[in-house]
């Protein structure tokens, strides 16, 4: 809880004396946009309040999980009830089965699930499983896709690492990184080249099917289908990392939207409803290589934690109510269209788009199709926009390579407030940059 009279600047200074960089997850430090991170005191519905008592419309949504808004009464009640029955058992509880069943209902090709405490753990464990099940060592990922912080996956990773301009992390042994092959998203030929170069050696292809960590990216028609065909032909397991897109772009994730079925799927974020949860799943044949049935070891003291299960189950129940996703997508479209319109009004090069309740804005005239294209954004213009919006009380993720998130708590008046603030921010942008091009020469 915030002490009264504290300020973001004072709390940041204090935090930096005890926490590395003042944060526990790198991108929270605002390094990509500059300025002082806001220390959040509480959140409710579509809003967060910082320690200075300032309110923000929340388009961060804890980076994706808060799809029903903050402190939803049904989720809070489920957590309260579960907490009264004990915080952790280290022995099975029925809610774990129920969460696995809820996942299977929306992802019908999944037969077995393993629950973890984070998306990182889910992706890391799926990777080990793929290697163990195939007996192969190499893995293939895509530049700009982020799969958490496992060593093998921090090779040219996106998200925070990308925002800092350090595409691969120090501390990852070259011996390990050499087993991670990196292809280009939306470029099937770049995958074919690697498949040809390493026949019989690639265990899996891991991909964010609808990436949200190089900002929102969408698959070109045929890309994921082609990837599926290549993997099937080569005996390579296709892993969809839907930690962000799962239960977010559609109830059944990118696989529901595209109809492309992976061998393994990784989840996180929404399935925990704000509590630490991850999961991965696939066919029984592949999943049963995992301990205790198979030789691939995986475990976690707090995996399937009852409080986390309760929050996740309550959230999944809400998103499956009739019309939930239609309303979420419509609201998100309203925001995206409104931002584009405001930018156009002031002649600021800008584009935006969304998939369900996940959206991207780009300070460039056309939405990017590749990781290379996204580098063409006007990062300085984004920084100015980010801070103008923040000062107006609208909190977007603090980076050009992050998606932003909506929730069912975002109402008509929140959209209006956001678009009014955006209009003012774009107007300022139009004045601060070069003067309008005179039309006299036409
Ligand atoms: C957030 C994210 C992860 C990592 O999940 P954590 O819970 O932060 O460990 C992995 N993959 C994708 C696609 C993500 O967006």
């Amino acid at each position: 809880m915030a002490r009264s009279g504290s300020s973001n600047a004072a709390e940041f200074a204090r935090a930096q004396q005890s926490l590395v960089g003042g944060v526990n997850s790198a991108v929270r430090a605002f390094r990509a946009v500059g300025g002082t991170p806001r220390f959040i005191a509480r959140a409710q519905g579509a809003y967060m309040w910082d320690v200075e008592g300032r309110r923000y419309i929340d388009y961060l949504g804890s980076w994706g999980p808060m799809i029903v808004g903050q402190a939803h009464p049904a989720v809070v009640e489920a957590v309260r009830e579960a907490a009264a029955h004990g915080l952790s058992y280290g022995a099975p509880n029925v809610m774990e089965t129920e969460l696995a069943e809820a996942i299977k209902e929306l992802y019908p090709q999944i037969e077995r699930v393993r629950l973890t405490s984070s998306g990182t753990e889910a992706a890391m464990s799926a990777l080990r499983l793929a290697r163990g099940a195939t007996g192969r060592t190499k893995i293939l990922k895509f530049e700009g896709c982020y799969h958490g912080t496992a060593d093998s996956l921090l090779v040219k990773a996106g998200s925070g690492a990308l925002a800092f301009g350090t595409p691969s992390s120090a501390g990852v042994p070259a011996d390990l990184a050499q087993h991670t092959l990196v292809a280009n998203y939306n470029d099937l030929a770049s995958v074919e080249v690697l498949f040809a170069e390493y026949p019989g050696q690639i265990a899996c292809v891991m991909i964010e099917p609808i990436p949200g960590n190089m900002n929102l990216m969408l698959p070109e028609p045929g890309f994921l289908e082609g990837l599926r065909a290549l993997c099937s032909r080569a005996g390579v397991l296709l892993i969809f990392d839907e930690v962000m897109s799962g239960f977010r772009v559609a109830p059944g994730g990118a696989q529901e939207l595209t109809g492309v079925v992976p061998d393994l799927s990784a989840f996180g974020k929404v399935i925990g409803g704000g509590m630490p949860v991850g999961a991965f799943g696939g066919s029984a044949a592949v999943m049963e290589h995992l301990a205790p049935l198979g030789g691939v070891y995986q475990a976690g003291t707090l995996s399937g934690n009852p409080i986390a299960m309760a929050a996740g189950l309550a959230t999944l129940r809400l998103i499956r109510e009739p019309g939930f996703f239609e309303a979420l997508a419509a609201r998100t479209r309203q925001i995206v269209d409104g931002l584009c319109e405001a930018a156009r009004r002031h002649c600021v090069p800008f584009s935006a788009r969304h998939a369900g309740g996940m959206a991207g804005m780009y300070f460039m005239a056309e939405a990017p199709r590749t990781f290379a294209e996204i580098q063409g954004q006007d990062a300085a213009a984004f920084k100015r926009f980010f801070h103008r919006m923040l000062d107006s009380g609208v909190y977007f993720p603090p980076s050009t390579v992050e998606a932003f998130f909506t929730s069912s708590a975002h109402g008509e008046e929140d959209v209006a407030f956001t678009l009014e603030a955006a209009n003012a921010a774009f107007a300022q942008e139009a004045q601060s940059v070069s003067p309008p091009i005179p039309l006299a020469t036409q």
Side-chain angles (χ1 to χ4, degrees), residues 107 209-210 224 240 242 245-247 249-250 252-260:
Y107 296 77
I210 296 182
L224 293 175
F240 276 7
E242 297 227 52
S245 58
F247 310 87
V249 298
Q255 37 203 291
E256 179 187 320
L257 287 186
T258 64
V260 178

Side-chain angles (χ1 to χ4, degrees), residues 3-18:
R3 299 163 308 167
S4 62
S6 67
S7 71
N8 292 303
E11 290 300 342
F12 191 40
R14 176 184 164 202
Q16 284 170 288
Q17 297 307 309
S18 297

